[in-house]
Amino acid sequence: VGWLAVAGITLDTSRIGIVFAVGAMFAAVSVIYRFVRRDDKLSLFGHIANQWIAAAALLGLLSYVSARLNFPLTDEALIAADRALFFDWMSYVNWVDTKPLLARLFSLAYLSSGPQILALVVLLFLTNRMVHLQKFLLAFLFTGLLTVALAALFPAVGGYVYYDIDVSHYAHVHPAAARVHEAPLISMRESSVSVLTFPMQGLITFPSFHSALSIVLIYAAWPIRHLRWLSLALNILVLFSTPVDG
């Protein structure tokens, strides 16, 4: 963790006992079914599960450390790019706010990404698609690393923070994320916080990890014939929900 020291950051490990406990459980599964009860499939699953835990932790830490670079914010340039593409973010959010059912569907879709990962890991294991499960993990990790790198180089605070919007004024839009990243992102950019505690909030607004992840989830579900079209429809909804809920 030398890069944490270079950034002047320490970890408060008092709240990550559950993470260690889950990791130890999967490690035990991997060892027991590798050397005691000899089930290569279960042993590999325990190993892969710990790889997922490590990948998620690594990406979370990197997003915080990279924010310390404090590169100039790019929100104005991103807004200009939106306008060049004839997209008005604020008008889009205001329009969704007039559609109660759509606003609710967007929030549910946005929040589905985490459960989708868990469900697909289990389903790919149960259907004996271990190679594809490994490819899913690699796609998740490389997508996350690319997103973190681009977010470090082209940081943005996002529309709700940039326009200083009080989301409680919306009638039907109740963003799942909105401004939850604001305080930790600003504190990391200003180097006013040097101790990270768990759980950590997601910091990245651009490029959207949720959007990139939706593509990865479609790829992960594609070999499961009865699931691929549901995954496609759900993650297209995630793509449309991200400007509102992200």
Side-chain angles (χ1 to χ4, degrees):
V1 293
W3 37 275
L4 288 175
V6 171
I9 297 172
T10 57
L11 294 177
D12 177 1
T13 60
S14 62
R15 296 184 181 180
I16 60 174
I18 184 64
V19 178
F20 285 129
V22 172
M25 179 190 71
F26 283 122
V29 167
S30 182
V31 170
I32 290 171
Y33 285 100
R34 175 67 177 87
F35 297 105
V36 180
R37 301 192 64 175
R38 294 300 300 178
D39 187 321
D40 290 340
K41 183 179 176 181
L42 282 173
S43 177
L44 181 59
F45 180 76
H47 185 63
I48 291 174
N50 267 339
Q51 289 178 343
W52 275 98
I53 293 172
L58 173 66
L59 292 176
L61 289 172
L62 283 176
S63 69
Y64 273 70
V65 173
S66 61
R68 277 288 175 91
L69 295 174
N70 197 25
F71 282 6
L73 294 173
T74 60
D75 293 271
E76 291 186 6
L78 294 173
I79 292 169
D82 281 347
R83 289 174 178 162
L85 296 172
F86 304 103
F87 178 73
D88 186 320
W89 174 82
M90 192 172 293
S91 295
Y92 181 61
V93 175
N94 289 334
W95 176 77
V96 173
D97 192 44
T98 66
K99 313 291 181 183
L101 179 59
L102 184 61
R104 181 59 177 160
L105 282 174
F106 273 5
S107 292
L108 291 174
Y110 186 86
L111 292 170
S112 75
S113 296
Q116 282 190 71
I117 292 175
L118 295 176
L120 283 168
V121 168
V122 172
L123 286 171
L124 290 171
F125 167 72
L126 292 176
T127 55
N128 204 32
R129 293 179 168 91
M130 304 303 286
V131 173
H132 191 71
L133 178 54
Q134 284 284 63
K135 290 179 179 178
F136 177 26
L137 170 60
L138 289 173
F140 172 84
L141 179 58
F142 289 143
T143 299
L145 290 172
L146 180 60
T147 301
V148 169
L150 291 174
L153 295 173
F154 309 102
V157 294
Y160 291 108
V161 178
Y162 180 80
Y163 292 112
D164 195 21
I165 295 174
D166 183 352
V167 296
S168 66
H169 291 165
Y170 289 118
H172 303 293
V173 166
H174 305 291
R179 304 182 68 153
V180 296
H181 65 288
E182 180 180 5
L185 176 60
I186 298 303
S187 64
M188 292 305 295
R189 287 176 57 82
E190 295 178 347
S191 299
S192 59
V193 170
S194 58
V195 179
L196 296 183
T197 59
F198 288 85
M200 294 184 292
Q201 297 287 352
L203 296 187
I204 295 174
T205 60
F206 175 82
S208 168
F209 183 58
H210 252 80
S211 296
L213 181 58
S214 66
I215 306 301
V216 173
L217 288 168
I218 293 170
Y219 162 77
W222 203 254
I224 306 175
R225 184 166 58 90
H226 298 295
L227 189 60
R228 64 178 60 159
W229 300 112
L230 175 61
S231 175
L232 180 64
L234 176 56
N235 285 290
I236 287 175
L237 196 60
V238 173
L239 288 171
F240 282 103
S241 75
T242 298
V244 178
D245 281 270

